[in-house]
Short mmCIF file of all heavy atoms in Angstrom, two decimals:
data_model
loop_
_atom_site.label_atom_id
_atom_site.label_comp_id
_atom_site.label_asym_id
_atom_site.label_seq_id
_atom_site.Cartn_x
_atom_site.Cartn_y
_atom_site.Cartn_z
N GLY A 761 -121.35 32.34 -214.16
CA GLY A 761 -120.59 32.74 -215.33
C GLY A 761 -121.17 34.01 -215.96
O GLY A 761 -120.47 35.01 -216.15
N SER A 762 -122.50 33.96 -216.27
CA SER A 762 -123.10 35.08 -216.99
C SER A 762 -123.75 36.11 -216.08
O SER A 762 -124.17 37.15 -216.51
CB SER A 762 -124.13 34.51 -217.94
OG SER A 762 -125.15 33.85 -217.18
N GLU A 763 -123.84 35.75 -214.78
CA GLU A 763 -124.54 36.58 -213.79
C GLU A 763 -125.97 36.86 -214.22
O GLU A 763 -126.54 37.92 -213.93
CB GLU A 763 -123.75 37.85 -213.49
CG GLU A 763 -122.38 37.55 -212.87
CD GLU A 763 -121.88 38.66 -211.91
OE1 GLU A 763 -122.62 39.64 -211.70
OE2 GLU A 763 -120.76 38.49 -211.43
N LYS A 764 -126.54 35.89 -214.92
CA LYS A 764 -127.91 36.03 -215.41
C LYS A 764 -128.87 35.46 -214.37
O LYS A 764 -128.56 34.45 -213.73
CB LYS A 764 -128.02 35.26 -216.74
CG LYS A 764 -129.06 35.82 -217.66
CD LYS A 764 -129.14 35.02 -218.96
CE LYS A 764 -130.59 34.72 -219.20
NZ LYS A 764 -130.82 33.53 -219.98
N LEU A 765 -130.03 36.11 -214.17
CA LEU A 765 -131.01 35.64 -213.22
C LEU A 765 -131.65 34.36 -213.80
O LEU A 765 -132.21 34.39 -214.87
CB LEU A 765 -132.07 36.74 -213.02
CG LEU A 765 -133.19 36.44 -212.06
CD1 LEU A 765 -132.68 36.34 -210.63
CD2 LEU A 765 -134.26 37.52 -212.15
N ILE A 766 -131.53 33.30 -213.08
CA ILE A 766 -132.11 32.06 -213.61
C ILE A 766 -133.27 31.55 -212.74
O ILE A 766 -134.10 30.79 -213.23
CB ILE A 766 -131.04 30.93 -213.70
CG1 ILE A 766 -130.31 30.83 -212.35
CG2 ILE A 766 -130.12 31.15 -214.87
CD1 ILE A 766 -129.58 29.54 -212.20
N ALA A 767 -133.30 31.98 -211.50
CA ALA A 767 -134.42 31.56 -210.64
C ALA A 767 -134.50 32.43 -209.46
O ALA A 767 -133.62 33.28 -209.22
CB ALA A 767 -134.17 30.12 -210.18
N VAL A 768 -135.61 32.26 -208.72
CA VAL A 768 -135.72 33.02 -207.44
C VAL A 768 -136.19 32.08 -206.35
O VAL A 768 -136.85 31.10 -206.64
CB VAL A 768 -136.74 34.21 -207.53
CG1 VAL A 768 -136.20 35.34 -208.40
CG2 VAL A 768 -138.10 33.74 -208.02
N GLU A 769 -135.76 32.36 -205.11
CA GLU A 769 -136.27 31.55 -203.99
C GLU A 769 -137.32 32.36 -203.25
O GLU A 769 -137.05 33.52 -202.88
CB GLU A 769 -135.14 31.14 -203.06
CG GLU A 769 -135.68 30.33 -201.88
CD GLU A 769 -134.58 29.83 -200.92
OE1 GLU A 769 -133.41 30.19 -201.09
OE2 GLU A 769 -134.97 29.08 -200.00
N ALA A 770 -138.47 31.76 -203.09
CA ALA A 770 -139.55 32.47 -202.37
C ALA A 770 -139.34 32.33 -200.89
O ALA A 770 -139.16 31.20 -200.39
CB ALA A 770 -140.89 31.86 -202.75
N LEU A 771 -139.31 33.46 -200.17
CA LEU A 771 -139.02 33.42 -198.73
C LEU A 771 -140.15 34.18 -198.03
O LEU A 771 -140.49 35.31 -198.40
CB LEU A 771 -137.65 34.04 -198.39
CG LEU A 771 -136.46 33.32 -199.02
CD1 LEU A 771 -135.25 34.21 -199.09
CD2 LEU A 771 -136.14 32.05 -198.26
N ILE A 772 -140.67 33.56 -197.02
CA ILE A 772 -141.85 34.16 -196.38
C ILE A 772 -141.47 35.23 -195.34
O ILE A 772 -140.43 35.14 -194.71
CB ILE A 772 -142.71 33.03 -195.73
CG1 ILE A 772 -144.09 33.56 -195.35
CG2 ILE A 772 -142.00 32.42 -194.53
CD1 ILE A 772 -145.09 32.47 -195.01
N ARG A 773 -142.37 36.20 -195.21
CA ARG A 773 -142.23 37.24 -194.17
C ARG A 773 -143.60 37.43 -193.54
O ARG A 773 -144.64 37.15 -194.14
CB ARG A 773 -141.78 38.57 -194.78
CG ARG A 773 -140.41 38.54 -195.49
CD ARG A 773 -139.29 38.44 -194.47
NE ARG A 773 -137.98 38.37 -195.10
CZ ARG A 773 -137.32 37.25 -195.39
NH1 ARG A 773 -137.92 36.07 -195.19
NH2 ARG A 773 -136.09 37.30 -195.93
N TRP A 774 -143.58 37.93 -192.31
CA TRP A 774 -144.87 38.15 -191.60
C TRP A 774 -144.89 39.60 -191.16
O TRP A 774 -144.03 40.07 -190.40
CB TRP A 774 -144.93 37.23 -190.38
CG TRP A 774 -146.19 37.38 -189.54
CD1 TRP A 774 -147.29 38.08 -189.77
CD2 TRP A 774 -146.42 36.71 -188.27
NE1 TRP A 774 -148.19 37.94 -188.81
CE2 TRP A 774 -147.67 37.09 -187.84
CE3 TRP A 774 -145.68 35.81 -187.49
CZ2 TRP A 774 -148.28 36.64 -186.65
CZ3 TRP A 774 -146.23 35.38 -186.30
CH2 TRP A 774 -147.53 35.79 -185.90
N ARG A 775 -145.90 40.29 -191.70
CA ARG A 775 -146.05 41.69 -191.27
C ARG A 775 -146.90 41.66 -190.01
O ARG A 775 -148.16 41.64 -190.08
CB ARG A 775 -146.70 42.54 -192.37
CG ARG A 775 -146.60 44.02 -192.11
CD ARG A 775 -147.21 44.85 -193.26
NE ARG A 775 -146.41 44.76 -194.45
CZ ARG A 775 -146.81 44.19 -195.58
NH1 ARG A 775 -147.97 43.55 -195.66
NH2 ARG A 775 -146.02 44.21 -196.70
N HIS A 776 -146.21 41.64 -188.87
CA HIS A 776 -146.93 41.43 -187.59
C HIS A 776 -147.52 42.78 -187.20
O HIS A 776 -146.81 43.82 -187.23
CB HIS A 776 -145.93 40.90 -186.53
CG HIS A 776 -146.58 40.48 -185.25
ND1 HIS A 776 -147.00 41.35 -184.29
CD2 HIS A 776 -146.90 39.21 -184.83
CE1 HIS A 776 -147.52 40.64 -183.29
NE2 HIS A 776 -147.48 39.33 -183.62
N PRO A 777 -148.81 42.78 -186.77
CA PRO A 777 -149.46 44.07 -186.50
C PRO A 777 -148.72 44.87 -185.40
O PRO A 777 -148.73 46.08 -185.42
CB PRO A 777 -150.87 43.70 -186.03
CG PRO A 777 -150.86 42.22 -185.86
CD PRO A 777 -149.74 41.66 -186.63
N LYS A 778 -148.05 44.14 -184.46
CA LYS A 778 -147.39 44.90 -183.40
C LYS A 778 -145.86 44.87 -183.51
O LYS A 778 -145.18 45.85 -183.26
CB LYS A 778 -147.75 44.28 -182.03
CG LYS A 778 -149.16 44.64 -181.63
CD LYS A 778 -149.48 44.02 -180.26
CE LYS A 778 -150.97 43.91 -180.10
NZ LYS A 778 -151.39 42.64 -179.51
N LYS A 779 -145.33 43.72 -183.94
CA LYS A 779 -143.87 43.52 -183.92
C LYS A 779 -143.19 43.95 -185.21
O LYS A 779 -141.98 43.85 -185.32
CB LYS A 779 -143.55 42.10 -183.58
CG LYS A 779 -144.04 41.67 -182.20
CD LYS A 779 -143.68 40.25 -181.92
CE LYS A 779 -144.34 39.75 -180.63
NZ LYS A 779 -144.42 38.31 -180.53
N GLY A 780 -143.96 44.30 -186.22
CA GLY A 780 -143.31 44.70 -187.48
C GLY A 780 -143.05 43.45 -188.31
O GLY A 780 -143.68 42.43 -188.15
N ILE A 781 -142.06 43.58 -189.20
CA ILE A 781 -141.81 42.49 -190.14
C ILE A 781 -140.94 41.37 -189.48
O ILE A 781 -139.85 41.68 -189.00
CB ILE A 781 -141.18 43.00 -191.44
CG1 ILE A 781 -142.23 43.88 -192.13
CG2 ILE A 781 -140.72 41.83 -192.35
CD1 ILE A 781 -141.83 44.47 -193.43
N LEU A 782 -141.48 40.16 -189.44
CA LEU A 782 -140.79 39.07 -188.80
C LEU A 782 -140.19 38.11 -189.84
O LEU A 782 -140.76 37.86 -190.89
CB LEU A 782 -141.74 38.28 -187.91
CG LEU A 782 -142.35 39.03 -186.72
CD1 LEU A 782 -143.30 38.12 -185.91
CD2 LEU A 782 -141.28 39.62 -185.79
N SER A 783 -139.01 37.55 -189.49
CA SER A 783 -138.32 36.61 -190.36
C SER A 783 -138.84 35.20 -190.08
O SER A 783 -139.38 34.96 -189.01
CB SER A 783 -136.84 36.60 -190.10
OG SER A 783 -136.30 37.79 -190.58
N PRO A 784 -138.66 34.29 -191.03
CA PRO A 784 -139.17 32.93 -190.83
C PRO A 784 -138.70 32.29 -189.55
O PRO A 784 -139.43 31.54 -188.90
CB PRO A 784 -138.66 32.17 -192.06
CG PRO A 784 -138.11 33.15 -192.98
CD PRO A 784 -138.08 34.48 -192.38
N ILE A 785 -137.43 32.59 -189.15
CA ILE A 785 -136.88 31.97 -187.94
C ILE A 785 -137.75 32.29 -186.69
O ILE A 785 -137.79 31.52 -185.75
CB ILE A 785 -135.40 32.43 -187.72
CG1 ILE A 785 -134.72 31.67 -186.56
CG2 ILE A 785 -135.27 33.90 -187.46
CD1 ILE A 785 -134.32 30.28 -186.93
N ASP A 786 -138.49 33.43 -186.76
CA ASP A 786 -139.31 33.83 -185.62
C ASP A 786 -140.65 33.09 -185.52
O ASP A 786 -141.30 33.13 -184.47
CB ASP A 786 -139.60 35.33 -185.67
CG ASP A 786 -138.30 36.15 -185.65
OD1 ASP A 786 -137.41 35.72 -184.87
OD2 ASP A 786 -138.19 37.16 -186.34
#
Side-chain angles (χ1 to χ4, degrees):
S762 61
E763 298 210 2
K764 209 181 130 205
L765 180 67
I766 50 162
V768 289
E769 178 177 6
L771 298 160
I772 194 168
R773 299 288 179 265
W774 181 5
R775 193 177 291 112
H776 191 280
K778 287 180 200 138
K779 297 180 188 161
I781 294 180
L782 297 181
S783 289
I785 188 77
D786 300 320

